[in-house]
Amino acid sequence: MRPILTIFLFFSLTISAFAQQRLQAFSLTEVRLGPGLFKNAQQTDLKYILELNPDRLLAPYLREAGLKAKAESYGNWENTGLDGHMAGHYLSALSFMYAATKNAEIKGRLDYMISELKRCQTANGDGYVSGIPGGKKMWTEIKAGNIRASSFSLNDKWVPLYNIHKIFSGLYDAYAVAGNMQAKAILIGLTDWCLNLVSTLSDEQIQQMLKSEHGGLNEVFANVYSITGNKKYLVLARQFSDKTLLKPLLNKTDALNGLHANTQIPKVIGYEQIGIAGKDTTMENAAAFFWNTVVNNRTVVIGGNSVREHFNPSDDFSSMIESREGPETCNSYNMLKLTKQLFLSQPSSKYIDYYEQTLYNHILSSQNPEGGFVYFTPIRPGHYRTYSRSQESFWCCVGSGIENHGKYGELIYSHSANDIFVNLFVPSVLNWKEKGVSIIQETNFPTQETTSLTLKLKKNSRFNIYFRKPSWVVNNEMKIYVNRKLQLAANDESGYIKLNRLWKTGDVIELKLPMHTKANFLPDGSDWVAFTRGPIVLAAELDTLSEPNLFADGSRMGHIASGALLPLNEAPLLVGNMATLAQNVHPEQSKNMNFSASTLIYQPKYKNLKLVPFYMLNEKRYVIYWPYTDFAHLPERIKSMNLYEKEKIKLELATVDLINTGEQQPETDHGFKGEQTDNGTFHERHFRNGKSWFSYRLKDKDLAATKLSFTLHGNERNKTFSVFINDKLLQKVNIDGTSGNDFYVSEINIPKTLLAVEMELKFVAASNSTIPNIYEIRLLK
């Protein structure tokens, strides 16, 4: 008789310190989504992608190559200076979607796009391929050392480096994700063109050029090095790494206040990629410091960051609460790219915790279930989101949007040489052909607090499976069962639990993942609170106001939810004990994640509000962050909110048009032009100044404006400039330094004879003088 011990399967359940090993992501071809939230979102995205016309996206490329376009260019951002940027995103989206679904029509689109781009590259004759209007003349100037760069322009073009980065990135994805070899050849040719472009420029001149938004060109060049092994591309990647951001990160200094957020994140993705490709730990450390700073100090509960595209002060989130232009989807798209890199390079559950939080609450919620993508997700209580239309909207967040929902399978699992890591609880099938291992994950998470994984193997095998212990699981409540037998699990800082045994086909692993409700205050510690259930943000629908532009038109500012703001003093107010807030959010239908906070809500009219997962609230006004106070401070809080909001709403109602000067998108939306002008920040506020002139386009469709106001600072003196409307002098202004030492508003009456539906507002410096810092411009009734 055999000894009894030999018939027992050996297993061990321990925590592994695997932080020193690098992991690999499974390819999208190895992971298929099962029925559920993410599969539905994927299919909605697939439909949107197929609604787009490749020939219209390719038109700028053919035109710039001297070839006849087969269709008219799309409008919106695609024919107002950023022509061609969508084609790069489209290549990436097609690549992800084909790898994830094997859809034949998607594959045909991708192959066609690549063949047409090859025609363009051949016609250009020097490796160049781009849709930048008038790009060849601009690049000639730059090669000669004539570089005129500002934050969102380069030699009078709208962020051409950012634009061309999209086609670089799309070509890389077409090769690396979808296996298109012709895309690789085009990519290398285009990279060699860029090498030639900067071959006569000094490092200082390249850094000057990088003052203009340039996407993640350093990442792409590091990727080209990885697929060719040629070190000249790694050198190019380092040359295209912006030192103004890198230096403070290397010194572990947060210098992000006021910076355009989505200009910075792709640079950091590049730092990390250079660190990986070039085995440079200093670059990797800089990227990790950036991630920790943004995630821990600058991120709201949905996983997003930024206000009007810029990093707000980390100790003051008031602008986030007040603005209709909250976290930008592109930022979260890029933060997830960085998170994936960091996790695979330095495995830790903290990265997947953030990834999961952002995936469910920002990325998933940024797509309308019927199609359409969101640019800004307002955090202001009672506001709403505006969705794109497939034939009219071509913003950056549409480009990243069509990519987002095709790559949900990229980090559900990962692996080392022999072991599997289960990172996310998403219905899916993993097929690791190389090892003969398949895993079927079935779950209704998050409405169900369990997930089940069934194994299929070619032969019985011993290996490790690592399971993430989410940060939202309290203490030792996570339970693991193998074939219905409870496994004893230890807790450890690494956040992953290792299960090692001789696995066989039919083994079933079940995870119990109890969720709890948590109160989450803003990172600045102010009295605004949001609630989560596990990783899921809970929000309430408000029906107090209509939503006039739920779906955008083709206008320059169509992506902004421009409807009326709910006064903050009318938002539902929570009153209670801070320590027990979460305990007073009661489940009503736990199966459907339906909760009530009636015992906390102060106003009787809001008592029946229900909290549900934010990703369920489409085409709705909503509350994510609630104003909070305790009973002792209730009268004071109500009084202060009433006084503050009264002035804010009065100004809002009087405003016909508003320009946040010095900020990229508001200035671009208002047709900014200028010579010898610069922008920056002072006392956490953006400004625009100049030695010559700058101008904007203002809109006054009802001819209701009577005044122009602009904000200045009292420390400016001895500066004279003139203000023009449609080339007619409105007023000459002299700043003499007598206005104190604070911000103040200057107002100028506008004669009726100068009013028009669209007006050019121009500031011109007087001879031997300059235009002072101008912080905000309003056209007022």
Side-chain angles (χ1 to χ4, degrees):
M1 181 177 177
R2 292 182 182 178
I4 293 176
L5 286 176
T6 64
I7 65 173
F8 283 100
L9 289 175
F10 172 81
F11 72 89
S12 67
L13 189 59
T14 59
I15 298 294
S16 173
F18 56 84
Q20 299 305 312
Q21 65 175 308
R22 293 185 186 271
L23 303 183
Q24 289 181 276
F26 285 101
S27 72
L28 288 172
T29 60
E30 296 174 290
V31 181
R32 288 286 178 269
L33 297 180
L37 297 169
F38 295 107
K39 180 66 175 289
N40 293 342
Q42 179 198 74
Q43 294 303 304
T44 299
D45 184 28
L46 191 153
K47 180 175 177 290
Y48 196 102
I49 289 172
L50 292 177
E51 288 174 2
L52 296 173
N53 183 340
D55 285 323
R56 296 192 71 180
L57 296 173
L58 287 164
Y61 291 82
L62 273 68
R63 188 167 55 244
E64 292 303 309
L67 302 173
K68 184 179 179 181
K70 298 179 181 180
E72 182 184 2
S73 292
Y74 278 114
N76 197 238
W77 289 21
E78 276 292 299
N79 70 353
T80 54
L82 211 58
D83 311 40
H85 80 116
M86 274 296 298
H89 283 296
Y90 198 61
L91 288 181
S92 294
L94 290 170
S95 302
F96 297 142
M97 192 62 75
Y98 174 64
T101 66
K102 290 299 180 182
N103 182 285
E105 189 173 358
I106 293 288
K107 173 71 158 57
R109 293 261 182 122
L110 179 61
D111 292 345
Y112 174 73
M113 292 279 290
I114 295 297
S115 66
E116 288 294 283
L117 290 169
K118 178 60 179 174
R119 279 210 307 136
C120 294
Q121 190 176 57
T122 300
N124 286 324
D126 58 357
Y128 180 64
V129 57
S130 175
I132 299 166
K136 290 180 181 179
K137 178 177 180 294
M138 178 201 65
W139 297 125
T140 300
E141 292 176 350
I142 288 172
K143 185 171 176 58
N146 178 9
I147 299 168
R148 305 184 301 280
S150 67
S151 59
F152 57 91
S153 69
L154 179 63
N155 288 46
D156 307 319
K157 301 291 182 185
W158 184 12
V159 289
L161 291 171
Y162 168 92
N163 189 338
I164 203 169
H165 165 253
K166 304 311 167 197
I167 197 64
F168 269 109
S169 190
L171 289 166
Y172 175 76
D173 289 333
Y175 164 67
V177 177
N180 188 299
M181 296 303 295
Q182 191 174 43
K184 179 183 179 181
I186 300 171
L187 172 64
I188 293 172
L190 183 57
T191 309
D192 286 336
W193 165 84
C194 190
L195 267 169
N196 180 61
L197 174 73
V198 301
S199 60
T200 58
L201 300 181
S202 66
D203 286 345
E204 290 74 19
Q205 286 174 309
I206 294 174
Q207 288 296 309
Q208 181 187 355
M209 187 169 61
L210 297 183
K211 183 177 181 181
S212 179
E213 185 179 8
H214 52 276
L217 283 171
N218 53 350
E219 178 208 4
V220 170
F221 299 147
N223 285 335
V224 174
Y225 163 67
S226 295
I227 63 177
T228 63
N230 193 323
K231 288 194 174 180
K232 67 181 181 180
Y233 302 123
L234 186 59
V235 172
L236 186 65
R238 292 186 182 279
Q239 287 180 302
F240 270 79
S241 292
D242 178 24
K243 293 178 182 177
T244 60
L245 177 65
L246 180 60
K247 285 180 180 177
L249 296 180
L250 291 173
N251 292 325
K252 292 184 166 45
T253 300
D254 178 355
L256 300 178
N257 284 0
L259 294 184
H260 185 256
N262 201 46
T263 295
Q264 316 314 319
I265 305 169
K267 298 176 189 177
V268 179
I269 294 171
Y271 301 157
E272 174 66 12
Q273 199 60 34
I274 291 168
I276 294 169
K279 297 179 172 57
D280 184 343
T281 56
T282 59
M283 283 288 208
E284 290 193 87
N285 290 340
F289 175 78
F290 176 89
W291 187 93
N292 282 313
T293 295
V294 172
V295 170
N296 295 331
N297 305 329
R298 298 180 173 276
T299 295
V300 294
V301 71
I302 63 169
N305 59 71
S306 80
V307 181
R308 296 192 307 273
E309 304 189 2
H310 292 75
F311 285 124
N312 56 282
S314 58
D315 60 355
D316 183 3
F317 275 68
S318 59
S319 59
M320 178 78 78
I321 291 296
E322 294 172 7
S323 181
R324 66 176 80 236
E325 299 169 51
E328 179 187 356
T329 308
C330 275
N331 292 11
S332 290
Y333 158 88
N334 276 312
M335 282 300 295
L336 290 192
K337 284 186 70 173
L338 177 60
T339 302
K340 177 184 174 183
Q341 286 176 312
L342 288 167
F343 169 72
L344 295 175
S345 180
Q346 308 165 34
S348 168
S349 64
K350 71 177 184 180
Y351 293 120
I352 303 300
D353 285 338
Y354 169 76
Y355 191 99
E356 177 183 60
Q357 171 191 6
T358 309
L359 197 70
Y360 276 98
N361 301 306
H362 199 185
I363 299 302
L364 183 62
S365 71
S366 69
Q367 181 179 236
N368 188 294
E370 301 302 318
F373 304 101
V374 169
Y375 198 119
F376 294 119
T377 297
I379 297 302
R380 183 185 178 106
H383 213 57
Y384 66 99
R385 293 159 291 175
T386 292
Y387 300 92
S388 67
R389 299 179 194 265
S390 63
Q391 303 304 305
E392 291 194 68
S393 309
F394 294 92
W395 331 309
C396 54
C397 293
V398 174
S400 58
I402 59 175
E403 295 184 39
N404 278 331
H405 309 279
K407 56 176 182 173
Y408 282 128
E410 69 174 2
L411 211 52
I412 300 172
Y413 312 95
S414 53
H415 67 93
S416 60
N418 298 298
D419 303 328
I420 294 173
F421 295 74
V422 179
N423 303 316
L424 298 170
F425 314 118
V426 174
S428 53
V429 177
L430 168 67
N431 187 10
W432 195 4
K433 287 184 179 179
E434 180 187 353
K435 298 294 183 180
V437 176
S438 179
I439 294 179
I440 303 166
Q441 184 173 183
E442 297 175 291
T443 181
N444 288 320
F445 184 85
T447 56
Q448 176 185 351
E449 298 180 354
T450 63
T451 189
S452 174
L453 300 100
T454 303
L455 275 63
K456 291 185 178 180
L457 294 86
K458 283 189 176 179
K459 61 179 182 179
N460 295 352
S461 301
R462 179 178 295 280
F463 56 90
N464 298 317
I465 303 180
Y466 293 86
F467 302 92
R468 176 175 62 102
K469 179 182 180 294
S471 59
W472 42 265
V473 171
V474 177
N475 300 323
N476 297 317
E477 289 187 357
M478 179 175 172
K479 304 296 182 185
I480 302 180
Y481 297 81
V482 176
N483 300 330
R484 299 185 178 182
K485 293 182 179 179
L486 177 65
Q487 313 298 302
L488 297 177
N491 291 319
D492 192 89
E493 292 179 358
S494 70
Y496 274 76
I497 299 171
K498 181 180 77 172
L499 183 58
N500 176 282
R501 61 185 284 152
L502 183 67
W503 299 102
K504 65 181 186 300
T505 291
D507 282 341
V508 177
I509 307 162
E510 188 175 15
L511 308 183
K512 302 288 187 181
L513 303 161
M515 296 192 293
H516 298 271
T517 306
K518 180 184 176 183
N520 307 263
F521 285 83
L522 284 170
D524 64 357
S526 57
D527 288 336
W528 291 87
V529 65
F531 296 101
T532 50
R533 181 74 173 179
I536 307 303
V537 172
L538 302 176
E541 175 189 346
L542 285 188
D543 58 359
T544 54
L545 295 167
S546 63
E547 303 90 5
N549 64 327
L550 276 173
F551 289 88
D553 57 22
S555 66
R556 282 294 293 114
M557 292 183 283
H559 56 286
I560 298 172
S562 58
L565 300 174
L566 176 72
L568 292 181
N569 59 336
E570 295 180 18
L573 174 66
L574 302 187
V575 183
N577 185 325
M578 182 181 290
T580 60
L581 285 177
Q583 297 171 28
N584 285 283
V585 177
H586 303 289
E588 290 197 338
Q589 298 175 26
S590 58
K591 231 178 186 182
N592 297 318
M593 297 279 282
N594 197 318
F595 295 81
S596 169
S598 59
T599 58
L600 294 173
I601 297 174
Y602 174 69
Q603 302 96 322
K605 67 178 179 178
Y606 291 133
K607 288 288 186 180
N608 292 325
L609 289 180
K610 305 302 177 203
L611 283 77
V612 299
F614 178 55
Y615 59 71
M616 294 175 58
L617 294 181
N618 303 287
E619 303 180 33
K620 307 288 186 184
R621 287 183 179 263
Y622 53 81
V623 179
I624 295 176
Y625 276 95
W626 309 66
Y628 158 78
T629 189
D630 58 25
F631 286 102
H633 295 91
L634 178 59
E636 176 187 338
R637 181 69 188 259
I638 291 174
K639 181 179 178 181
S640 64
M641 288 183 71
N642 285 343
L643 288 173
Y644 183 77
E645 196 61 20
K646 181 180 178 181
E647 293 302 315
K648 284 282 185 179
I649 292 298
K650 181 180 177 181
L651 182 60
E652 172 76 18
L653 292 174
T655 299
V656 176
D657 203 354
L658 165 67
I659 305 171
N660 298 107
T661 53
E663 297 185 14
Q664 175 167 332
Q665 209 53 54
E667 290 201 325
T668 303
D669 289 341
H670 286 87
F672 166 79
K673 295 179 183 177
E675 292 180 3
Q676 297 183 60
T677 176
D678 207 350
N679 64 314
T681 59
F682 177 73
H683 286 193
E684 313 293 0
R685 295 188 67 170
H686 291 266
F687 64 77
R688 165 76 53 192
N689 61 25
K691 297 177 181 179
S692 181
W693 65 272
F694 57 87
S695 69
Y696 304 100
R697 286 195 305 271
L698 293 170
K699 292 189 176 179
D700 182 19
K701 66 178 182 178
D702 298 323
L703 300 180
T706 60
K707 289 184 292 188
L708 177 75
S709 79
F710 45 90
T711 302
L712 303 166
H713 195 274
N715 66 355
E716 303 264 19
R717 63 189 65 211
N718 302 323
K719 295 186 177 181
T720 304
F721 62 99
S722 296
V723 182
F724 294 83
I725 286 183
N726 291 339
D727 294 325
K728 293 181 181 179
L729 179 65
L730 180 62
Q731 187 168 307
K732 187 175 182 179
V733 182
N734 179 52
I735 305 297
D736 57 12
T738 61
S739 300
N741 195 32
D742 204 350
F743 292 101
Y744 68 96
V745 175
S746 178
E747 292 187 349
I748 303 174
N749 292 323
I750 304 174
K752 287 185 178 180
T753 55
L754 293 185
L755 292 178
V757 172
E758 189 165 303
M759 299 177 284
E760 183 190 53
L761 172 67
K762 191 173 186 178
F763 296 85
V764 181
S767 179
N768 299 319
S769 190
T770 60
I771 307 166
N773 295 349
I774 295 178
Y775 295 88
E776 180 183 86
I777 298 170
R778 288 181 186 264
L779 195 60
L780 298 170
K781 297 177 186 177

